[in-house]
Amino acid sequence: MESKALTITIVYDNNAYDPRLRTAWGFSCLIEYQGQAILFDSGGDSPTLLANMAALGIDPGEIETIVLSHIHGDHTGGLSGLLPVAGDGLTVFVPQSFPARFKEAVRTRAQLVEVVKPREIGKEVYTTGELGTGIIEQSLAVRTDESLVVVTGCAHPGVVEIVRQAKALSGDEVYLVLGGFHLGGKSRREIEGIISEFRRLGVRKVAPCHCTGEQAIRMFRQEYGEDFIQAGVGKVILVPP
Ligand SMILES: [Zn+2]
Ligand SMILES: [Zn+2]
């Protein structure tokens, strides 16, 4: 059986990893899977995003799908500069709750798809649909031979809730959770609770970055040991490794 290799490249993050790249507050990663090139979030600004992509040898013209997790500028700010150089026939998936003006601007350059419920957005790539009651956010789940890979933007609806929702989509085990976990303001005890929920949900590996917070990153590293993946801008994660 031909194995399906997934590659995730972090192209924008406030955590350093590859010293050739620029760090800035925000998040974006490129998901390459079964011939698809999907950009998840767009970072805070397009000059940083495009410079990092160039340094990594990523041609923005190859991107045919963009998924925006939530409306915050550190996830959507790079879009306007990216749209003119992205691939033909580009599709942009946004939560339906995005402002009308934002959606109009995207429509002038790309096909816009408004997401409400969980759905497939590409071959074996799914959105959780809109989650949360305050800041509405969607996350991605990719089905691989190694089981689910969950990608979060800021995880405002709660990272445990997101993982639970992703797991409910397919019933598969969760191999990896990657992205911002949004635990900056949480106490040690709260973070411990979240880590034990991750264990209970069977999350095998973690790659926390962006807004996870230094203390939470340290605690995940300690708990997960060799299953902790040091993430930051320029990090490339292969599944299977
Ligand atoms: Zn946010
Ligand atoms: Zn953010």
Side-chain angles (χ1 to χ4, degrees):
M1 194 176 79
E2 195 195 342
S3 98
K4 300 171 293 187
L6 165 67
T7 305
I8 300 179
T9 307
I10 299 174
V11 294
Y12 197 114
D13 196 63
N14 38 287
N15 297 284
Y17 185 83
D18 182 336
R20 295 174 303 154
L21 304 182
R22 298 186 203 169
T23 54
W25 184 258
F27 184 69
S28 175
C29 67
L30 180 69
I31 298 166
E32 293 170 279
Y33 191 49
Q34 301 192 62
Q36 309 166 97
I38 300 167
L39 192 74
F40 178 77
D41 283 340
S42 64
D45 73 289
S46 57
T48 303
L49 178 72
L50 295 173
N52 285 347
M53 286 171 81
L56 289 162
I58 297 167
D59 173 6
E62 303 280 305
I63 295 169
E64 61 235 338
T65 304
I66 298 173
V67 178
L68 297 177
S69 63
H70 68 297
I71 192 63
H72 286 164
D74 56 325
H75 298 256
T76 57
L79 186 72
S80 57
L82 176 63
L83 285 178
V85 293
D88 291 334
L90 179 73
T91 305
V92 181
F93 291 83
V94 303
Q96 191 190 43
S97 54
F98 264 32
R101 258 176 56 198
F102 189 101
K103 293 191 275 194
E104 266 326 299
V106 173
R107 276 199 194 96
T108 63
R109 287 278 188 180
Q111 194 200 337
L112 183 85
V113 179
E114 301 182 44
V115 171
V116 182
K117 302 241 172 290
R119 55 166 290 181
E120 199 168 23
I121 62 121
K123 198 163 180 233
E124 296 195 275
V125 182
Y126 305 83
T127 166
T128 58
E130 290 186 313
L131 294 179
T133 49
I135 298 151
I136 304 295
E137 185 165 340
Q138 63 174 334
S139 305
L140 285 187
V142 185
R143 268 187 115 161
T144 76
D145 290 343
E146 304 289 308
S147 69
L148 278 188
V149 172
V150 179
V151 184
T152 66
C154 261
H156 292 292
V159 70
V160 169
E161 187 49 38
I162 289 167
V163 173
R164 214 175 266 136
Q165 180 72 30
K167 222 181 144 166
L169 287 177
S170 69
D172 289 348
E173 293 301 308
V174 180
Y175 174 74
L176 167 69
V177 183
L178 172 149
F181 292 5
H182 208 68
L183 304 175
K186 299 276 190 226
S187 69
R188 239 193 124 74
R189 178 174 293 215
E190 286 172 301
I191 297 166
E192 277 164 6
I194 284 159
I195 293 174
S196 55
E197 280 298 319
F198 265 54
R199 287 302 198 193
R200 211 163 316 173
L201 286 162
V203 177
R204 268 180 59 196
K205 290 176 189 268
V206 292
C209 53
H210 180 38
C211 58
T212 301
E214 279 176 32
Q215 172 164 265
I217 288 179
R218 261 198 313 275
M219 289 170 69
F220 268 104
R221 179 188 286 122
Q222 208 158 39
E223 165 65 25
Y224 269 81
E226 59 183 25
D227 288 326
F228 172 91
I229 298 171
Q230 170 103 39
V233 67
K235 174 68 180 175
V236 180
I237 295 167
L238 304 172
V239 181

